[in-house]
Amino acid sequence: MHILLLNEYFPPDTSATAKAAAQVAEALAVNHRVTVLAGRPSYDPSERHPHYLLRREVRGNLTVERVGSTAYPRFQMRRRVANYLSYLALAVPRALTIPSDIVLAMTDPPIEGIAGALVARLSGRPFVYNIRDMYPDMAVGGSIVRPGSFTARWEAMHRWALRTAARVIVLGEDMRDRIVAKGVDPSRVVISRDGILIPDSLPSPDNPVAREIRGDFRFALVHAGNLGFYGAWQTLISAVRLQESEGVGLVFIGEGAMKPQIEAMAAGCRAVRFRPFRPASEIPLVLSSGDMHVVTVKRGLEGVVVPSKLYPTLAAGRPILGVAPEESDVVRIIRRSGCGIAANPDDPASVAEAIGGVLHDSEHLQTMARRAREISFSYDRVKQLAILSEALEETARETTLLGGKSRSTIA
């Protein structure tokens, strides 16, 4: 097959979706031709590109084309929107001229799925939609935009894109439930999680980085990752305040749009500390730290956000504290496997009670850690990417069986 992958961000962009797009493209390029249509790097890129109209890089079966979109820093919303619109204005016409068997769209920019469905419809190609973030649900749930006529039209267009898709690939069971609730045939919805490479060995929890993160806390909770709008931050911090006298501490490692607000929530609490991201080479050491790692999703965003940080934490063999609704993927995994504990994201007392239940139970913590490591092999990256590849191949087989001719075959 020749697969056209649409996503604005691609390395040297450093966003999670850029890394995911690269993993998908490289995995598919083992057996298929892949063309990625991206924009000029703008998401905290490791390198910046000069102005151009179109740039092409070819590496074996993988071709990366970049349209000359604006590349403003992402921190001002107006400039980020300019990046989105200039990318779409250049990418959609270019996508129509690239012969391929399948159009595969991700979710950067937030209406990329709608653009991908339009390209597929106009060119008579099957459309596969790989949803990384659920829009406009995420924009409304995160209070980025207010619900109204604009978001209603956006949702109507998004549902049209979902109905157009031959396959909808999602990150978890909760996201699948949301998609099916929008009227999509369950047989067309495939779960392919953000898999990870399982390390053969794990660093000692007593390594210098882990000791530095833990500090003088007797029981250390660690949240390593983006501090975005999706978390039940106030509930988590209030729960830690309730357990502060027991020596419980919470360490945030990372940055994010919500960090100033989270710092304000924690003002005056010595049990909450903030640390910057560590170098990539130290990530295994960070993951080995703490008595438990926190994964949080505030109510209403289950299935809209599926935190990928869960999987490397499981592979590191650390117990999980899931502060999230029962319907969320993280809590479902905890309940099924026994890899951690879960608590109500709206109730600080329930979170404090859950922490208190394991505070002095080292045997239970060790059992949860062992279960976390055991189930992590279910989320091996190779296995998860194989599920995605099979969904694409099945779509291609269905198109052939129905007598359709692909654009690349005609070309």
Side-chain angles (χ1 to χ4, degrees):
M1 290 188 297
H2 182 190
I3 301 162
L4 174 62
L5 193 162
L6 304 177
N7 199 64
E8 179 186 2
Y9 299 135
F10 198 82
D13 287 309
T14 58
S15 70
T17 56
K19 296 171 185 176
Q23 290 170 6
V24 168
E26 290 165 4
L28 293 173
V30 173
N31 296 313
H32 308 286
R33 287 177 58 207
V34 179
T35 298
V36 176
L37 189 55
R40 284 174 62 217
S42 63
Y43 194 109
D44 301 340
S46 56
E47 65 176 271
R48 291 197 174 271
H49 288 183
H51 291 284
Y52 47 73
L53 184 61
L54 185 68
R55 172 171 169 164
R56 181 183 293 115
E57 310 157 19
V58 180
R59 302 191 298 271
N61 282 341
L62 176 60
T63 299
V64 180
E65 289 199 4
R66 299 181 187 274
V67 295
S69 53
T70 58
Y72 295 117
R74 65 187 181 88
F75 300 105
Q76 294 183 3
M77 182 55 70
R78 288 184 179 180
R79 292 190 167 191
R80 192 189 302 189
V81 170
N83 293 345
Y84 291 163
L85 295 179
S86 61
Y87 165 76
L88 290 169
L90 295 168
V92 169
R94 176 56 186 156
L96 289 169
T97 68
I98 298 174
S100 70
D101 298 297
I102 285 179
V103 177
L104 170 63
M106 291 187 171
T107 48
D108 274 320
I111 60 171
E112 184 77 278
I114 299 169
L118 178 63
V119 168
R121 175 62 63 90
L122 292 175
S123 58
R125 288 175 275 181
F127 171 51
V128 176
Y129 190 9
N130 185 194
I131 300 181
R132 315 296 306 178
D133 297 307
M134 181 88 73
Y135 288 102
D137 308 57
M138 176 181 285
V140 174
S143 300
I144 299 171
V145 297
R146 294 180 179 179
S149 59
F150 168 72
T151 54
R153 288 194 296 271
W154 187 357
E155 174 66 12
M157 294 174 67
H158 187 237
R159 291 190 182 218
W160 169 79
L162 290 169
R163 292 194 303 270
T164 300
R167 291 287 187 283
V168 180
I169 300 171
V170 298
L171 297 176
E173 296 170 31
D174 49 1
M175 188 176 282
R176 184 181 188 276
D177 291 344
R178 281 206 177 238
I179 293 296
V180 171
K182 292 177 185 288
V184 179
D185 181 353
S187 67
R188 294 193 289 116
V189 185
V190 178
I191 298 174
S192 175
R193 302 177 188 273
D194 272 336
I196 36 117
L197 297 176
I198 311 294
D200 293 329
S201 60
L202 301 177
S204 166
D206 195 38
N207 65 76
V209 171
R211 288 200 302 271
E212 179 185 338
I213 290 170
R214 183 183 194 92
D216 57 356
F217 292 140
R218 193 178 72 77
F219 190 91
L221 302 170
V222 174
H223 182 282
N226 180 54
L227 299 176
F229 63 84
Y230 58 83
W233 308 118
Q234 185 64 71
T235 298
L236 179 61
I237 289 170
S238 298
V240 171
R241 288 181 186 272
L242 294 174
Q243 289 284 1
E244 183 175 0
S245 62
E246 294 289 333
V248 174
L250 171 61
V251 183
F252 289 106
I253 303 170
E255 307 293 333
M258 284 290 293
K259 185 175 181 181
Q261 292 93 317
I262 298 170
E263 288 177 323
M265 294 174 194
C269 181
R270 291 179 295 177
V272 181
R273 296 172 185 167
F274 295 84
R275 299 287 183 265
F277 278 123
R278 309 287 299 212
S281 60
E282 294 183 2
I283 289 176
L285 304 179
V286 172
L287 292 174
S288 72
S289 66
D291 294 284
M292 303 194 81
H293 277 248
V294 178
V295 180
T296 177
V297 177
K298 70 181 182 181
R299 191 171 304 282
L301 291 184
E302 61 276 13
V304 174
V305 178
V306 182
S308 59
K309 70 189 297 295
L310 171 65
Y311 308 115
T313 306
L314 294 175
R318 304 312 299 153
I320 306 296
L321 170 61
V323 183
E326 287 290 327
E327 302 82 5
S328 68
D329 236 37
V330 59
V331 174
R332 295 187 198 198
I333 290 171
I334 288 171
R335 299 293 191 212
R336 280 199 301 258
S337 68
C339 68
I341 54 176
N344 187 341
D346 303 320
D347 184 2
S350 79
V351 179
E353 183 180 356
I355 296 169
V358 298
L359 196 58
H360 306 289
D361 194 343
S362 59
E363 184 176 343
H364 190 189
L365 287 168
Q366 290 172 7
T367 299
M368 290 188 292
R370 185 172 61 254
R371 290 295 297 136
R373 175 67 175 177
E374 289 170 354
I375 68 166
S376 70
F377 291 90
S378 302
Y379 308 117
D380 176 76
R381 181 181 299 168
V382 174
K383 293 179 182 177
Q384 297 303 314
L385 289 171
I387 294 171
L388 187 151
S389 181
E390 174 58 30
L392 289 164
E393 291 167 4
E394 183 65 25
T395 300
R397 286 193 291 271
E398 288 177 358
T399 304
T400 302
L401 288 172
L402 290 172
K405 290 186 177 180
S406 71
R407 181 75 173 272
S408 62
T409 301
I410 295 170

